[in-house]
Amino acid sequence: MSKHTPQQLQPEADHRFHIPVLLDKVVELLAPQSGETYLDLTAGYGGHAQAIANRTGDHKALTLVDRDDNAIKQLQSFEQKGARVVHDDFVHFAQAAVASGDKYDMVLVDFGVSSPQLDRAERGFSILRDGPLDMRMDNRQSKSAFDVVNHTREQELVKILREYGEERPSNAVRVAKAIVRARPLHTTKELADAILSTHRGPYQKIHPATRTFQAIRIAVNDELQQISKLLHIVDNLLQPHGRIAFISFHSLEDRLVKQYLSDEVKAGYEASLQLITKKAILGKIYDVHNPRARSASLRAAVKNKKKG
Ligand SMILES: C[S@@+](CC[C@H](N)C(=O)[O-])C[C@H]1O[C@@H](n2cnc3c(N)ncnc32)[C@H](O)[C@@H]1O
C-alpha cells in the first residue's frame, strides 16, 4: 500500500457540521464595523468569516487564508462574492503581507484542525476512524504521519511525545518502544492498536492514543513553529486600533499566545498591542453546547494607535 492510500473511505463529512468555536465572543471582541477589513489566517470552512461579513456587509473586505485544499474549495462561495481566498500557510502569507505593507482592521487565528479534517477518515487524523497515516493539513507537503511514525528514531519519538503530546516521560518511552516494535505501521488503527497494547486494562473517556496522535499531528504540520513565527510578525498586519483574536485548543498553543501577549503588555509605553481579554475566555464556560469548544481558549488584543 502506498503511504497515502486510504484504506477505508468514509463519506465526506458535511461542512455545515463545523460549528465555529466561541462565535459570539469572537464577534464581540473583534467588534466589526461596516466597511472594515478582515483577515482570517485559518479560515477553515468560513464560519467565523461569514459572521464577520454579516456585520461588515462586504465580502470584498475579507481575506481568507488556509493551508488545506479542502477548506479552500469550501471557501469558493466567498470568492464568488468578492473575497480574496489564499491557499497558503499563515507564516508564508503573513511574511508576504508584511513585506507589501498590507494592514487589516481585524485578524483572527483559530488554531488547530477543523471538524471536517478530523471526521474524514482518509485524512488520517482520527483515532476512531481507520485511515492512512497522513495528518497533513496541506496535501502539497511531502512529510506525513507515515514518515514521522515509521522513520523517526526511538529517542526522537520520545522527545516528540513528551514535547508535543505532553506525555509523561515513562509513558513516552513505553509508547515509542511499542511504535518502533510494531513498524511498519500504515493506518491510524494500527497506530492506535500499538499504543493500546501499552495500556493495562480498559480506559475511561479519553483514548490512550490521544496524546500520541496530537504529538504526531503537531510534528507533521510543524504547528508550534508556525505559531511562533507568526507571533513574531502578526502585529504588523494590524491597522492602528485593529483587533486580533486567537483561539487555542491545547495548552501548548495557548502558552505561546499568552506569553506573546504578556510580553507585549510588559513593553509598556513601547507596546504595540493592548490586551482586550485579561484572562482567556474558555469554551467550556462560554460555548457549552459546542463539543469542539470544550478545550478552546480565546484571547484578544488591540493595536495601539501610535503603532500604525
Ligand atoms: C479550527 S479550523 C478553523 C475553523 C474556522 N474558524 C471556521 O469558522 O470554519 C483551523 C483551520 O486552520 C487551518 N490551519 C491550521 N494551521 C494553519 C497554518 N499554519 N496556516 C494556514 N492554515 C492553517 C486548518 O487547515 C483548518 O482549516
Side-chain angles (χ1 to χ4, degrees):
M1 184 161 53
S2 94
K3 69 177 189 174
H4 300 136
T5 304
Q7 199 191 37
Q8 178 197 328
L9 287 179
Q10 302 280 330
E12 184 173 347
D14 187 328
H15 71 269
R16 283 172 302 180
F17 293 125
H18 180 88
I19 307 163
V21 164
L22 284 161
L23 182 62
D24 293 348
K25 287 286 170 191
V26 168
V27 172
E28 185 185 315
L29 293 169
L30 291 181
Q33 306 295 316
S34 171
E36 283 192 325
T37 53
Y38 171 72
L39 170 63
D40 195 324
L41 287 168
T42 52
Y45 284 61
H48 290 104
Q50 185 57 55
I52 299 290
N54 292 345
R55 281 154 183 90
T56 59
D58 184 6
H59 277 74
K60 292 191 203 73
L62 306 180
T63 302
L64 309 179
V65 179
D66 204 289
R67 75 199 305 199
D68 185 334
D69 187 42
N70 282 308
I72 294 299
K73 286 190 187 114
Q74 296 293 342
L75 294 169
Q76 292 310 305
S77 57
F78 286 84
E79 199 163 35
Q80 282 153 13
K81 292 181 193 154
R84 180 176 173 217
V85 174
V86 186
H87 186 197
D88 205 349
D89 70 68
F90 51 56
V91 172
H92 191 255
F93 173 88
Q95 285 166 342
V98 170
S100 313
D102 297 345
K103 294 196 191 290
Y104 301 85
D105 297 305
M106 296 166 281
V107 176
L108 176 64
V109 206
D110 178 10
F111 295 118
V113 278
S114 62
S115 312
Q117 285 168 336
L118 284 172
D119 292 345
R120 289 181 63 173
E122 74 270 26
R123 300 298 302 269
F125 287 100
S126 171
I127 301 176
L128 300 176
R129 294 164 209 253
D130 194 16
L133 278 176
D134 191 332
M135 301 196 195
R136 291 168 304 161
M137 289 186 189
D138 187 338
N139 62 13
R140 298 169 299 186
Q141 169 186 317
S142 78
K143 181 173 69 174
S144 68
F146 179 91
D147 302 307
V148 174
V149 167
N150 290 297
H151 301 146
T152 306
R153 285 210 303 267
E154 187 176 316
Q155 271 317 308
E156 184 61 21
L157 265 182
V158 172
K159 200 164 162 249
I160 288 174
L161 297 177
R162 288 194 58 185
E163 283 179 18
Y164 299 161
E166 298 186 284
E167 194 71 87
R168 284 206 308 272
S170 57
N171 270 0
V173 170
R174 206 174 313 130
V175 169
K177 278 192 187 309
I179 290 175
V180 169
R181 229 179 4 249
R183 287 173 181 175
L185 294 165
H186 291 93
T187 67
T188 52
K189 181 165 187 318
E190 287 172 6
L191 176 61
D193 286 348
I195 298 159
L196 263 182
S197 74
T198 68
H199 190 82
R200 282 188 214 101
Y203 61 90
Q204 303 275 307
K205 268 196 198 141
I206 298 178
H207 193 290
T210 304
R211 286 174 181 275
T212 303
F213 270 63
Q214 173 184 303
I216 291 170
R217 189 199 93 199
I218 291 175
V220 168
N221 297 292
D222 287 330
E223 290 179 35
L224 300 183
Q225 290 84 343
Q226 279 274 311
I227 296 174
S228 299
K229 286 184 188 163
L230 178 71
L231 294 176
H232 267 98
I233 54 174
V234 76
D235 66 304
N236 296 305
L237 293 174
L238 287 168
Q239 297 278 14
H241 296 301
R243 288 84 64 203
I244 184 162
F246 301 92
I247 305 174
S248 313
F249 288 90
H250 52 77
S251 53
L252 296 167
E253 291 170 347
D254 190 50
R255 210 174 292 152
L256 290 172
V257 172
K258 188 177 170 190
Q259 185 64 49
Y260 163 68
L261 292 175
S262 82
D263 287 350
E264 275 299 324
V265 169
K266 278 187 213 139
Y269 183 71
E270 284 301 310
S272 155
L273 298 175
Q274 278 180 5
L275 287 185
I276 310 176
T277 49
K278 283 215 172 71
K279 280 183 171 175
I281 293 176
L282 302 178
K284 65 181 176 203
I285 297 174
Y286 294 99
D287 195 0
V288 281
H289 299 300
N290 184 353
R292 278 207 72 246
R294 262 194 303 259
S295 60
S297 55
L298 167 65
R299 297 178 190 272
V302 59
K303 177 96 168 182
N304 271 337
K305 66 169 185 258
K306 292 188 214 90
K307 302 270 173 174

